[in-house]
Amino acid sequence: NMYVIVGVNAVLDLCVLTFFWGFDSTAVFLVIITYPVGVMLGAPFATAFTRRWGKKTAIVFGSLTWAFWQMLPIILRLGDAFPENNEALLLPLVVGIKLIQGMCTAQGDVAGGAMLADLVDEQELETSMRQEGVINAVISFSAKATSGLGSIVAGFALELIDWPVGENIQTAADVPVATLEQLGIVYGPMIAAFAFISIWCFMQVSSTRERHAAILARLIARRASS
C-alpha cells in the first residue's frame, strides 16, 4: 500500500508543484530534492529512535508523520491560511515542510528494513533455512509492481477531476480554480488516507523486541547444538 502511495505521489508531484503552488522549474527542483535530503538527515537518528521506541512504533511514526505533513499545507491553503502563490514566504515553507517530512519518514524507512532482517531470523527458526535473497526479491518486485499501480491510480485521479491537457496548459492561470482545488484534495487528504490504511496494517504486526530476542536465543542455541 505504501508503494502505491509512492507511485501516485511521483506522478502528481510535478502537477501540484507547478500548478497548485505555481512554482517555476527552479523551485520545483528545489522542493523535489529537499525530501530525499530530509531522509538522509533523519536516517542517522533512526537507530536511537528505534532503540527507544521499537521498530513497529518507528514505522507507524514514519507513516503517520508522512501523512500529516502531506496534508497540512494543502488543508491550510484550501482554508486560506497559507501564503498565496505570489508570496515570498511560500517556497521556504514548502521546502521546510518537505525537509521535516523526509526526516520523520526516515525513522520508518530504516525500521522497516530492520524488520525484514527480523523476518529472516523468524523464517530460519521455523524452516531451518535463511532466504534473505528470496525475501528481498519479493519485496523489490512488490515495490515496483505497486508503485506502477500507483501511477495508474494517479492517471485515473486526473481523469476523474477532468484535468485539462494541451499545449496551452502552462500555468495555474490555465486551469480552473475548482480543478486546482480538487487536485490539492487528491494530493493531500486522499493520498494520506492510503497511508492510514498502511498504518492499520503495521499495527497488526506482532513482532516485538522481546519476541525477536527470544527467536535469536533459540537460533543461537540450535546452531550451537548442531
Side-chain angles (χ1 to χ4, degrees):
N1 185 61
M2 286 303 295
Y3 286 109
V4 173
I5 296 173
V6 170
V8 174
N9 198 66
V11 172
L12 296 184
D13 253 348
L14 191 58
C15 281
V16 170
L17 294 174
T18 302
F19 296 100
F20 189 85
W21 296 122
F23 291 144
D24 60 23
S25 58
T26 302
V28 168
F29 174 77
L30 181 60
V31 174
I32 289 176
I33 200 66
T34 296
Y35 179 81
V37 170
V39 172
M40 289 188 291
L41 292 176
F45 300 97
T47 300
F49 188 99
T50 302
R51 186 181 297 117
R52 175 66 179 84
W53 300 104
K55 295 169 188 172
K56 184 167 77 171
T57 300
I59 292 178
V60 171
F61 172 83
S63 302
L64 185 62
T65 52
W66 183 93
F68 173 79
W69 294 112
Q70 184 79 4
M71 291 189 298
L72 181 65
I74 301 293
I75 292 175
L76 291 177
R77 163 57 67 82
L78 295 177
D80 296 324
F82 211 66
E84 296 296 327
N85 288 3
N86 58 351
E87 294 185 30
L89 186 59
L90 177 64
L91 180 59
L93 276 177
V94 174
V95 167
I97 286 172
K98 281 295 180 183
L99 186 70
I100 296 171
Q101 186 185 40
M103 293 178 69
C104 293
T105 306
Q107 313 311 307
D109 292 342
V110 174
M115 285 190 76
L116 286 179
D118 294 354
L119 178 62
V120 171
D121 291 333
E122 186 170 352
Q123 182 204 32
E124 181 184 358
L125 181 64
E126 294 179 354
T127 67
S128 299
M129 294 186 297
R130 288 188 71 86
Q131 295 181 306
E132 293 100 328
V134 173
I135 291 175
N136 281 293
V138 169
I139 295 298
S140 179
F141 173 78
S142 300
K144 288 180 171 60
T146 52
S147 61
L149 177 61
S151 300
I152 297 174
V153 171
F156 279 125
L158 291 175
E159 287 286 340
L160 187 64
I161 65 174
D162 292 324
W163 184 258
V165 296
E167 294 181 358
N168 59 314
I169 309 301
Q170 300 291 329
T171 68
D174 303 318
V175 182
V177 173
T179 303
L180 288 174
E181 291 177 350
Q182 290 169 355
L183 175 65
I185 291 171
V186 170
Y187 184 80
M190 288 188 66
I191 291 182
F194 281 96
F196 285 108
I197 296 173
S198 296
I199 291 169
W200 181 84
C201 293
F202 294 142
M203 292 295 292
Q204 312 310 308
V205 175
S206 59
S207 178
T208 63
R209 183 179 302 162
E210 294 73 20
R211 185 168 184 265
H212 184 238
I215 289 172
L216 286 178
R218 291 173 63 186
L219 281 175
I220 291 171
R222 189 168 70 185
R223 290 167 184 166
S225 62
S226 62

